[in-house]
């Protein structure tokens, strides 16, 4: 295929020296992303161990476990947008190196925690570091690959999330079987050291060559608004109620501050983000799809660990191995998603992906204490396949909508919506799970001493702990707890599936379909081929 006569050639925007090592750079970026994903997936299989009394764990309550997860999310989500802006302004490599270093220090301190309060604090520090890692990896990717190769690179980048999902639970299970619980965080330290060295050698720095003046008011408003919003979401999940004043106040306050942020950005001569991008249906649909799919999946991820370990009796390692099909599907299909999009269009592919995710989530409503393992594996594989056909196309839609110079901002928007959606999923679906469980189990707590009755109804772990202390008399309570949890899981799974169906409707309505085929000779501009 030749370039049409008279059509000007597009000069490559990536320096030749960087272009030659672009795949090695992608490998380093994936390794950096793996650190963040690995930590969260390890923690999911360790929650039961951390909840155990010392010396096995640190005796964290259900609320403290949620805050060990959510303190990370709160800081991470609140700083993502600012981290993306800093990367565009001072250099993405510098931000990436600093973020990974802070994450490593936080991991080491979390491993040495002796109380749930310390663990929550150091998890927040890890979230601070991770906030600078996530947007920087995607922003660097957009600046070392030419536009025609970006969908392929983003697909591989997204596939590395599947690798983290696979390695995390298995690594966590092995560590928990042979070492103390803190080893799940200490394992990050050598990975961080390797990543720092590799990035210093291979990754080029990049920034916006004309960033303009700083928008301090916009930065402050974005941080305050996101922190208040996410805190309100988390608080609502903790109380299993969204009508309490301690929930409504930060929620409404966060929304008002974010509205002020949007108003300020639309009128600023030097905005942090061009709000007009959200007027594009494809861009808005892409970020909405990210939020909705993570809303649906994160809530299920949280309770599936308790289903596998508390109800089914699997160890942390066995639970990790059961999630392998989900990870394998992402690793197999995410790098190839661009080929399916080229053939059928982003709208059809993402809609089908959302429907697969919805079907996988709805299947949880059919699970009981004796569901065959092959059914579990099949459902996880279906969910992973759906995710693999959602994340790469919508990430490409978000990132290619913004100029390359604003790649950090685009990545921050992508990850902010993902984190807010995930936090909302854990809070709302966790509230549904807790409320339904408490309603079902209360009638079975008449034989429990009055002093322990309230604690016993908080969660399945609390109920099982009380039942074990009751000896043989607690056996009927164990059976009732399992039944109550499964019933609550069914309701929550159907709610998750409904959210995924809303996501399917959004992408079906607003994402672009298959682009028209342009024949050569009609004046299109082609980028000249480059040697790899």
């Amino acid at each position: 295929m030749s370039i049409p006569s008279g059509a000007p050639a597009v000069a490559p925007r990536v320096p030749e020296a960087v272009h030659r090592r672009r795949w090695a750079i992608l490998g380093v970026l994936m390794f950096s992303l793996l650190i963040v994903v690995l930590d969260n997936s390890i923690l999911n299989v360790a929650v039961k161990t951390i909840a155990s009394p010392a010396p096995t764990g640190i005796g964290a309550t259900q609320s403290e476990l949620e805050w060990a997860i959510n303190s990370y999310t709160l800081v991470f989500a609140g700083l993502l947008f600012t981290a993306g802006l800093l990367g565009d302004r001072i250099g993405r490599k510098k931000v990436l190196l600093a973020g990974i270093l802070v994450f490593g220090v936080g991991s080491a301190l979390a491993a040495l925690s002796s109380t749930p309060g310390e663990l929550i604090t150091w998890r927040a520090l890890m979230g601070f570091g991770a906030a600078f890692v996530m947007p920087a990896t995607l922003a660097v990717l957009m600046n070392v690959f030419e536009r025609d190769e970006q969908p392929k690179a983003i697909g591989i980048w997204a596939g590395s999330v599947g690798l983290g999902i696979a390695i995390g639970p298995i690594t966590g299970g092995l560590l928990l079987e042979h070492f103390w619980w803190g080893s799940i965080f200490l394992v990050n330290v050598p990975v961080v050291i390797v990543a720092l060295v590799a990035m210093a050698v291979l990754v080029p720095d990049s920034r916006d060559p004309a960033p303009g003046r700083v928008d301090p008011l916009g930065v402050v408003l974005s941080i305050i608004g996101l922190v208040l919003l996410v805190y309100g979401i988390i608080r609502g999940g903790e109380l299993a109620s969204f009508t309490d004043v301690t929930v409504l106040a930060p929620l409404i306050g966060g929304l008002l501050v974010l509205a002020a942020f949007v108003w300020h950005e639309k009128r600023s001569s030097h905005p942090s983000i061009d709000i007009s991008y959200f007027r594009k249906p494809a861009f808005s649909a892409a970020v909405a799809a990210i939020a909705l799919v993570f809303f649906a999946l994160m809530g299920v991820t949280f309770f599936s660990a308790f289903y596998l370990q508390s109800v089914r009796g699997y160890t942390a390692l066995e639970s990790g191995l059961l999630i392998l099909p989900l990870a394998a599907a992402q690793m197999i299909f995410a790098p190839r998603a661009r080929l399916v999009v080229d053939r059928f269009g982003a709208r059809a592919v993402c809609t089908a992906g959302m429907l697969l995710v919805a079907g996988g989530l709805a299947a949880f409503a059919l699970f009981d204490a004796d569901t065959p393992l092959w059914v579990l594996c099949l459902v996880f594989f279906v969910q992973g396949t759906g995710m693999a056909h959602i994340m790469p196309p919508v990430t490409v839609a978000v990132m290619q909508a913004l100029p390359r110079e604003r790649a950090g901002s685009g990545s921050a928007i992508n990850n902010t919506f993902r984190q807010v959606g995930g936090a909302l999923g854990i809070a709302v679906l966790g509230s549904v799970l807790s409320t339904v469980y408490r309603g079902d189990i209360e009638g079975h707590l008449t034989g429990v001493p009055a002093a322990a009755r309230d604690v016993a109804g908080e969660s399945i772990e609390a109920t099982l702990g009380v039942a074990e202390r009751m000896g043989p008399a607690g056996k009927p309570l164990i059976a009732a707890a399992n039944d109550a949890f499964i019933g609550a899981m069914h309701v929550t799974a159907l709610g998750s599936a409904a959210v995924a169906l809303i996501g399917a409707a959004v992408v079906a309505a607003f994402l672009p379909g298959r682009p028209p085929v342009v024949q050569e000779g009609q004046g299109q501009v082609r980028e000249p081929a480059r040697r790899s």
Side-chain angles (χ1 to χ4, degrees):
M1 297 174 70
S2 59
I3 302 173
S5 58
V10 177
R13 299 193 61 186
V14 179
E16 186 64 32
V18 174
H19 179 77
R20 283 198 301 267
R21 65 177 193 271
R22 64 196 185 283
W23 297 111
I25 294 170
L26 178 59
V28 175
L29 297 177
M30 289 170 59
F31 196 62
S32 305
L33 179 65
L34 183 65
I35 298 170
V36 177
V37 177
L38 183 75
D39 174 74
N40 281 319
S41 58
I42 283 179
L43 186 59
N44 284 333
V45 300
V47 288
K48 188 174 184 294
T49 304
I50 295 173
S52 302
T56 303
I58 52 176
T61 64
Q62 181 83 4
S63 175
E64 289 167 338
L65 284 174
E66 290 180 6
W67 272 105
I69 295 172
N70 289 327
S71 64
Y72 178 99
T73 302
L74 183 64
V75 176
F76 188 27
L79 291 177
L80 270 172
F81 186 71
T82 301
L85 292 177
L86 283 176
D88 287 343
R89 181 170 295 276
I90 68 174
R92 289 127 192 171
K93 180 176 181 177
K94 296 183 184 71
V95 166
L96 186 56
L97 288 168
I100 290 181
L101 180 60
V102 171
F103 187 88
V105 171
S107 298
L109 293 171
L112 302 175
S113 300
S114 57
T115 66
E118 290 180 4
L119 178 60
I120 291 168
T121 300
W122 302 131
R123 284 280 298 166
L125 182 62
M126 293 170 68
F128 184 95
F132 289 85
V133 174
M134 284 291 282
T137 58
L138 193 51
V140 171
L141 181 154
M142 298 299 291
N143 280 272
V144 299
F145 285 90
E146 299 291 359
R147 188 177 180 87
D148 62 326
E149 282 190 321
Q150 286 170 0
K152 179 180 180 180
I154 288 174
I156 296 172
W157 178 87
S160 67
V161 174
L163 182 62
I165 293 172
I167 295 175
I170 297 171
T171 304
L174 288 170
L175 290 171
L176 291 172
E177 285 194 358
H178 296 92
F179 303 99
W180 97 113
W181 68 269
S183 61
I184 66 168
F185 297 112
L186 197 61
V187 72
N188 291 331
V189 176
V191 181
V192 163
I193 293 172
V194 173
L196 285 171
V197 173
M199 278 189 296
V201 173
L202 287 172
V203 175
D205 205 357
S206 62
R207 68 180 74 185
D208 185 345
R213 287 187 294 158
V214 179
D215 177 24
L217 180 58
V219 169
V220 171
L221 288 174
S222 70
I223 294 175
I224 294 174
L226 285 170
V227 168
L228 284 174
L229 177 63
V230 175
Y231 175 79
I233 292 169
I234 292 170
R235 180 64 176 163
E238 184 180 31
L239 298 179
S241 170
F242 284 83
T243 59
D244 189 275
V245 66
T246 60
V247 176
L248 289 176
L251 276 178
I252 296 173
L255 290 173
L256 289 175
V257 173
L258 289 176
F261 168 74
V262 172
W263 182 87
H264 169 73
E265 293 300 295
K266 289 173 69 175
R267 286 158 179 77
S268 175
S269 60
H270 51 287
S272 299
I273 180 66
D274 189 346
I275 300 298
S276 66
Y277 286 112
F278 285 92
R279 296 174 186 167
K280 300 178 180 180
F283 181 87
S284 295
V287 294
I290 292 168
L292 288 169
V293 75
F294 273 90
F295 177 102
L297 278 175
M298 288 303 289
V300 172
T301 300
F302 183 72
F303 71 66
S304 64
F306 288 98
Y307 167 71
L308 292 172
Q309 296 182 48
S310 299
V311 177
R312 301 301 298 266
Y314 296 118
T315 65
L317 176 58
E318 290 168 339
S319 299
L321 290 171
L322 286 171
I323 301 176
L324 269 177
L326 186 148
Q330 289 197 54
M331 293 169 62
I332 293 169
F333 295 115
R336 296 170 174 79
R338 77 190 192 285
L339 303 176
V340 188
V341 171
D342 288 343
R343 182 170 182 179
F344 299 104
R347 179 190 300 161
V349 172
C350 289
T351 302
M354 280 287 192
L355 291 175
L356 284 175
V357 170
L361 294 171
F364 273 87
L366 304 175
F367 287 3
D368 56 32
D370 301 310
T371 300
L373 286 182
W374 69 267
V375 175
L376 291 173
C377 293
L378 178 62
V379 168
F380 282 131
F381 188 83
V382 168
Q383 287 181 337
T385 301
M387 286 291 293
H389 289 89
I390 298 168
M391 295 314 298
V394 297
T395 302
V396 170
V398 171
M399 296 304 296
Q400 291 194 341
L402 275 71
R404 188 191 296 260
E405 292 76 16
R406 295 295 184 94
S409 301
S411 180
I413 291 171
N414 178 75
N415 285 294
T416 298
F417 274 82
R418 180 173 69 87
Q419 284 300 312
V420 172
L424 194 59
I426 291 174
V428 173
L429 298 176
S431 298
V432 172
L433 183 75
S434 177
T435 301
V436 176
Y437 177 80
R438 182 181 287 273
D440 288 347
I441 199 64
E442 278 182 350
H444 300 275
L445 298 177
T446 54
V448 176
R453 199 167 295 161
D454 286 342
V455 175
E458 286 183 356
S459 66
I460 185 173
E461 279 300 304
T463 308
L464 294 177
V466 171
E468 288 176 5
R469 290 194 293 272
M470 292 172 63
K475 287 186 178 179
L477 184 57
I478 293 174
N482 289 339
D483 290 342
F485 183 86
I486 290 173
M489 183 180 74
H490 290 169
V491 174
T492 309
L494 291 175
S496 303
V499 172
L501 287 175
I502 294 172
V506 169
V507 297
F510 298 109
L511 277 188
R514 185 180 179 186
V517 178
V518 180
Q519 301 295 327
E520 285 200 46
Q522 294 183 359
Q524 81 275 26
V525 178
R526 291 172 48 82
E527 188 172 302
R530 300 174 72 165
R531 291 184 296 174
S532 300

